[in-house]
Amino acid sequence: MPKYEIENKVFFITGGAQGFGKEIAKGVLSKGAKVFFVDILREKGNETLRELAHQFSSSHVAFTAADIVNTEAFEYAFTEAIRVFGQVDVLLNNAAIADETNMSRMIETNFTAVIHGSQVASNYMRKDKGGKGGRIIAMSSIAGLGYYYQLPVYNAAKHGIRVYSKASSQNPSNKDRGLEFACFHPDASNIGIFPTIDNGQRGIRDAAEILESYRDNFVPIEDVVEAFIELASLEHMNGADLFVGKNKRTYMEVEGREVGDKYPAES
Ligand SMILES: NC(=O)c1ccc[n+]([C@@H]2O[C@H](COP(=O)([O-])OP(=O)(O)OC[C@H]3O[C@@H](n4cnc5c(N)ncnc54)[C@H](O)[C@@H]3O)[C@@H](O)[C@H]2O)c1
Ligand SMILES: CCCCC/C=C\C=C\[C@H](O)C/C=C\C/C=C\CCCC(=O)O
């Protein structure tokens, strides 16, 4: 099957200093792509930059510290990526936090900044304005597909970016602009924000029990990276929602289901 060749493509990854962002950066670098990443953590970002430059090539990776919630800082970083590598082909909106005690910051980071980042990338990538077209991938989660009372704001933000991505994929103007949108939904892994959350902190209910239930069920990190590369390499990824869990990888279609005119529904 024909593929979108990621070798020599430029990936712009938010939250790339650690966690999935860093692992995905390594994955695409190993396929010959170039990576420009941003992170709010300057020191960690510089450390990761040194590591990736050493492991791959200093001409293939660049970093700038930026808070993606700051719209000017995001746009500056994006234009830096274009200055350094000549273009951006794929945006991965990966940065996120999990803190139910700080609703505003979580919505700004996990939802508003993802939409803003997508709009900035669209403006620079769109073919009708001199760009070369491009791909915009939202890092969602299993929490972008189902319902989790334990973390309702995080849950809502992840659904929100899935819906934004899907709606954008259906905008006929984006076809002419050469823009494709997709959403990526990993289950919990033993990395990043998931394993570090203790019960009673960050307002996440029943965290200890959830962590225990995942002990043998984490999706391996390499499976997540591999699934991401599959998504990014699809000949046409527009509108895709890819879920990856332990021993499972499947495209999803989320649709409203009518349950009749009685509530609660009669089964
Ligand atoms: N870890 C999991 O099990 C899991 C499962 C499904 C989805 N996800 C998603 O994967 C993505 C990465 O999360 P992770 O688990 O690797 O966590 P992580 O904390 O290791 O990585 C997130 C990175 O984003 C950065 N970041 C946070 N706010 C930022 C901001 N305002 N500006 C710039 N950078 C910012 C952080 O500094 C951090 O380096 C998130 O979107 C998360 O929701 C994680
Ligand atoms: C440990 C408590 C949940 C911490 C959530 C923090 C980060 C979330 C990362 C993933 O995006 C979400 C992964 C899984 C969904 C969260 C909870 C699942 C509850 C499953 C259950 O009910 O057993």
Side-chain angles (χ1 to χ4, degrees), residues 45-200:
N46 279 322
E47 192 185 298
T48 298
L49 175 65
R50 284 193 292 275
E51 184 186 326
L52 298 182
H54 179 71
Q55 192 176 346
F56 299 96
S57 160
S58 57
S59 65
H60 275 56
V61 60
F63 164 70
T64 194
D67 177 353
I68 58 161
V69 170
N70 179 331
T71 53
E72 286 175 7
F74 181 91
E75 184 154 3
Y76 172 76
F78 201 85
T79 56
E80 267 298 286
I82 295 171
R83 188 185 65 76
V84 171
F85 289 126
Q87 65 195 68
V88 172
D89 300 293
V90 183
L91 165 65
L92 172 60
N93 279 308
N94 165 78
I97 57 172
D99 184 355
E100 294 288 326
T101 68
N102 195 343
M103 176 190 72
S104 306
R105 182 70 185 171
M106 191 148 71
I107 293 290
E108 281 170 357
T109 309
N110 298 11
F111 182 67
T112 314
V114 171
I115 293 174
H116 175 259
S118 304
Q119 290 176 342
V120 168
S122 298
N123 280 336
Y124 286 96
M125 288 168 160
R126 53 191 287 185
K127 285 181 174 170
D128 58 324
K129 294 266 177 82
K132 296 191 163 99
R135 305 187 147 201
I136 296 175
I137 302 177
M139 180 64 146
S140 176
S141 157
I142 192 172
L145 296 166
Y147 302 110
Y148 297 103
Y149 72 89
Q150 301 93 337
L151 53 166
V153 180
Y154 180 91
N155 197 180
K158 291 301 188 188
H159 274 249
I161 62 172
R162 172 180 57 77
V163 172
Y164 175 80
S165 182
K166 192 71 159 187
S168 302
S169 77
Q170 294 177 0
N171 178 352
S173 302
N174 282 331
K175 193 166 189 217
D176 305 330
R177 295 170 183 153
L179 301 176
E180 294 198 29
F181 293 79
C183 202
F184 187 45
H185 306 273
D187 199 348
S189 265
N190 197 11
I191 192 171
I193 56 181
F194 192 76
T196 56
I197 292 174
D198 296 314
N199 209 356

Side-chain angles (χ1 to χ4, degrees), residues 201-245:
Q201 287 182 355
R202 302 190 212 163
I204 294 167
R205 290 186 58 183
D206 303 335
E209 289 82 350
I210 295 166
L211 279 171
E212 181 55 27
S213 76
Y214 266 100
R215 190 207 291 263
D216 299 318
N217 294 305
F218 287 123
V219 53
I221 295 155
E222 57 272 23
D223 290 9
V224 174
V225 174
E226 217 179 81
F228 176 82
I229 289 172
E230 172 186 302
L231 178 64
S233 307
L234 289 175
E235 186 186 12
H236 301 291
M237 63 152 223
N238 197 39
D241 279 290
L242 179 59
F243 169 77
V244 57

